[in-house]
């Protein structure tokens, strides 16, 4: 059980252009947000380091809270059960990346992985426009990606 006064979770959205994150309390209320350039050509390890640095700055700017878990949404095909990015056209070279394993090791908290559009739909269903609805249609748009 999460303590609403001292615990938070992070939601991280990794796209081909931008990686955004939010810190949320157990009620789903946003406590802090930020974003950075993804720079997929620098690889997953570089992104982990930069997200960790940015997330630490945001956590330190707030009253003391404990990070209890992370949900990662990523543009691409994922094996959510295995925690692996199977394929992403806008993240070349990241195929078969063990996202959950790497984020869990880096942040020392439980991590879950989902396709970013699916995660957005689940979020709207649980907390947003689709709350208490019998049906929901989620459409997402992004900056896209073009090969050189």
């Amino acid at each position: 059980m999460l303590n609403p006064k001292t615990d938070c979770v992070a939601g991280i959205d990794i796209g081909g252009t931008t990686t955004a994150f939010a810190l949320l309390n157990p009620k789903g209320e946003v406590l802090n947000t930020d974003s950075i350039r993804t720079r997929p050509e620098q690889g997953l390890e570089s992104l982990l380091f930069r997200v960790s640095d940015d997330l630490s700055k945001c956590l330190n700017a707030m009253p003391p809270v404990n990070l209890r878990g992370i949900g990662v949404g990523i543009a691409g095909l994922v094996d959510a059960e295995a925690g692996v990015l199977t394929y992403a056209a806008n993240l070349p070279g990241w195929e078969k990346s063990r996202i959950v394993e790497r984020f869990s090791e880096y942040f020392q908290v439980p991590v879950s992985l989902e396709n970013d559009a699916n995660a957005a739909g689940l979020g709207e269903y649980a907390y947003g426009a689709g709350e208490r609805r019998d049906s929901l249609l989620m459409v997402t748009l992004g900056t896209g990606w073009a090969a050189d």
Side-chain angles (χ1 to χ4, degrees):
M1 196 68 178
L2 296 176
N3 183 326
K5 294 182 180 178
T6 61
D7 293 337
C8 73
V9 295
I12 301 173
D13 177 18
I14 303 172
T17 305
T18 303
T19 294
F21 71 85
L23 295 170
L24 303 105
N25 68 18
K27 296 177 185 177
E29 298 167 335
V30 176
L31 304 173
N32 206 337
T33 64
D34 205 355
S35 64
I36 59 174
R37 303 260 318 147
T38 302
R39 299 183 185 140
E41 70 282 357
Q42 293 180 3
L44 177 60
E45 294 304 314
S46 171
L47 181 69
L48 279 168
F49 177 77
R50 292 181 294 112
V51 167
S52 174
D53 186 52
D54 214 43
L55 192 57
S56 294
K57 287 177 187 172
C58 284
L59 285 165
N60 291 333
M62 297 172 23
V65 292
N66 301 309
L67 181 62
R68 297 294 187 187
I70 297 173
V72 177
I74 194 163
L77 301 175
V78 301
D79 180 340
E81 190 172 314
V84 174
L85 173 64
T86 306
Y87 173 77
N90 58 353
L91 299 168
W94 290 36
E95 294 81 10
K96 299 192 176 30
S97 290
R98 304 193 67 75
I99 304 292
V100 166
E101 179 181 302
R102 294 301 301 128
F103 271 78
S104 294
E105 289 172 359
Y106 215 87
F107 293 101
Q108 297 296 301
V109 297
V111 176
S112 62
L113 176 70
E114 184 55 77
N115 167 272
D116 61 346
N118 292 346
L122 289 169
E124 287 297 334
Y125 180 76
Y127 297 104
E131 189 174 16
R132 295 187 296 275
R133 302 284 192 248
D134 292 333
S135 59
L136 171 71
L137 171 66
M138 180 71 194
V139 178
T140 63
L141 300 173
T143 54
W145 178 79
D148 293 332

